[in-house]
Every structure is written in C-alpha cells, then in structure tokens.
Amino acid sequence: MKISKAEFVKGVIGDDYGLEDNLPHIAFFGRSNAGKSSVINSLVGKKDLVKTSKMPGKTREANFFRINDSFYFVDFPGYGYAMSSILKRNKMIKRIFWYVEFSNVRPKAVFLIIDANVGLTALDRDMIEILEANKHQIVIIANKIDKLTKGAAGKRLSSIQKEARDIPVLGYSAKTNEGKDELTKKIASFV
Ligand SMILES: Nc1nc2c(ncn2[C@@H]2O[C@H](COP(=O)(O)OP(=O)(O)OP(=O)(O)O)[C@@H](O)[C@H]2O)c(=O)[nH]1
Ligand SMILES: [Mg+2]
C-alpha cells in the first residue's frame, strides 16, 4: 500500500464519532507530546497535514483524516499527567474512553504512540489495560527513535517488547521516517 491521498475531514468534540461512509478507522492514542500528530504527518508524507507542537496538548479534538478514499486515521488528543484527576477534569479523555468502550464505530486497530526514550508509562499501561479489556487490536509505536543511538535503540525496543508481551512494538521516527515502510504495511494489514 502507498498512501497517495490524505485529507482532513472533520474534528469531533462531542461523542459522535460516526461518519456516514462506514470506512474503517485506525486510531492514534498516546501521551501528550509522544508524537501522534507527527507520526501521521510522516506516514502521509505531508509536513503540516496535522498541526504539531513542542507544547503538550496541541490536539484538542478527535481529528479525522480520510486516507486513499478508503479508511480514516483518527488523531486523538494526548492523555497526560495524572490519569485519575484528568479522568474527572478532562472531558476529552472521557470521550477517548467513550470511543474505546461504547462507540459502535470500532477502530480496526489502535496505534499507541510512545516516546522511545521514555518507554511505557503508568498512563500507557492503564490505556493498554482498557484497550485489552475492550478487545481492541493494539500496536505500540516507539517513536523518536532518532534520539537514540542504534545500539541503545535496539536495547530499548527489546525491553519495551518484553514488557508489552504479545502486543507488537515497532520502532519509529517521525523525524527521519525510519520504520515507515513497516508501519505502512502493518496499517495495510488492518484496513
Ligand atoms: N526528534 C523527534 N521529535 C519528534 C518526533 N515526533 C514528534 N517529535 C516532536 O515532538 C513534539 C510533539 O509532537 P506532536 O506530534 O505534536 O505530539 P502529539 O502526540 O500529537 O501531542 P498532543 O497533540 O499534544 O497530544 C513536537 O515538537 C515534534 O516535533 C520524532 O520522531 N523525533
Ligand atoms: Mg497531536
């Protein structure tokens, strides 16, 4: 598969994730600043399809991008800081859970973007638990691998894989596009 067309369709703030065309969804979750929006830009080969920022909290809606007229990338706002207080405070996080648990539009897969330098955090583990409880297909993307030397990256990836058990872990760099072919293949296997 080659991604040849990517267009912004809509940003959703409410609980309505339904789009009339019934095309499959691929969802991107992860902590604020892990690089969800950057990974999408890198996959579609457009620098600024999705706005990114050094400041966490850039993405504030669930943004739908139609890819190749055949499926959607759904870029979610990041979760961050203390999950329990955010659960009470942040409506958007509640909506992520609504999408994961109750929406009739089930994503074909959830790509969990983490910072390879940070590894899995408590928030990611909570997210994985909820995703697994709801029987979602998960792939972990260890992004920002460009910040590590080759040797350190290999070690980091195998320790993340060990912790993730049977959830596949892919190394990635939205900056250098390392891992893009592999990730594109993975996406093609779901849509
Ligand atoms: N070096 C490096 N920096 C990256 C990479 N991916 C993202 N970044 C940087 O990390 C910061 C956050 O990226 P975003 O794509 O906005 O992160 P996000 O996960 O969408 O963040 P929220 O929308 O706040 O949840 C930006 O400054 C990016 O340039 C990467 O692979 N390598
Ligand atoms: Mg973002």
Side-chain angles (χ1 to χ4, degrees):
M1 181 181 72
K2 190 177 172 357
I3 293 177
S4 52
K5 191 172 173 190
E7 48 194 338
F8 174 71
V9 177
K10 71 172 181 177
V12 172
I13 306 178
D15 286 347
D16 168 27
Y17 291 105
L19 292 162
E20 286 91 60
D21 51 17
N22 289 319
L23 296 177
H25 292 186
I26 297 286
F28 291 82
F29 288 168
R31 290 173 64 231
S32 291
N33 222 42
K36 297 170 293 299
S37 301
S38 302
V39 168
I40 292 179
N41 282 339
S42 144
L43 284 169
V44 303
K46 291 188 184 180
K47 261 211 158 80
D48 49 10
L49 179 70
V50 197
K51 289 195 177 65
T52 64
S53 169
K54 281 196 172 62
M55 299 289 291
K58 180 69 186 171
T59 306
R60 293 177 180 277
E61 299 176 329
N63 288 317
F64 284 75
F65 300 91
R66 192 164 47 230
I67 308 299
N68 291 355
D69 293 321
S70 60
F71 61 94
Y72 288 102
F73 281 162
V74 193
D75 183 27
F76 279 88
Y79 45 87
Y81 319 111
M83 182 75 100
S84 57
S85 60
I86 278 213
L87 264 177
K88 292 187 201 104
R89 270 206 320 259
N90 186 328
K91 286 190 182 148
M92 198 61 227
I93 299 294
K94 285 188 189 157
R95 286 175 187 138
I96 292 177
F97 286 106
W98 183 86
Y99 177 82
V100 165
E101 294 193 69
F102 306 116
S103 170
N104 55 8
V105 196
R106 281 179 64 84
K108 292 284 180 196
V110 174
F111 287 84
L112 189 76
I113 313 294
I114 66 171
D115 183 332
N117 305 286
V118 177
L120 285 164
T121 65
L123 296 178
D124 297 314
R125 291 186 198 105
D126 287 350
M127 195 71 228
I128 288 169
E129 203 175 295
I130 292 158
L131 290 168
E132 285 185 325
N134 288 280
K135 305 207 164 13
H136 287 286
Q137 292 277 349
I138 312 167
V139 178
I140 295 172
I141 309 299
N143 188 37
K144 308 197 186 186
I145 205 90
D146 57 280
K147 289 187 167 179
L148 296 165
T149 62
K150 267 229 151 15
K155 277 190 198 138
R156 183 59 57 85
L157 285 176
S158 54
S159 88
I160 296 169
Q161 184 62 76
K162 200 168 166 200
E163 188 182 349
R165 294 164 184 247
D166 50 0
I167 301 171
V169 178
L170 300 179
Y172 202 83
S173 168
K175 192 175 174 183
T176 67
N177 290 336
E178 186 178 339
K180 183 170 163 174
D181 289 349
E182 207 183 336
L183 180 50
T184 305
K185 268 192 205 131
K186 197 86 191 162
I187 291 164
S189 74
F190 290 115
V191 294

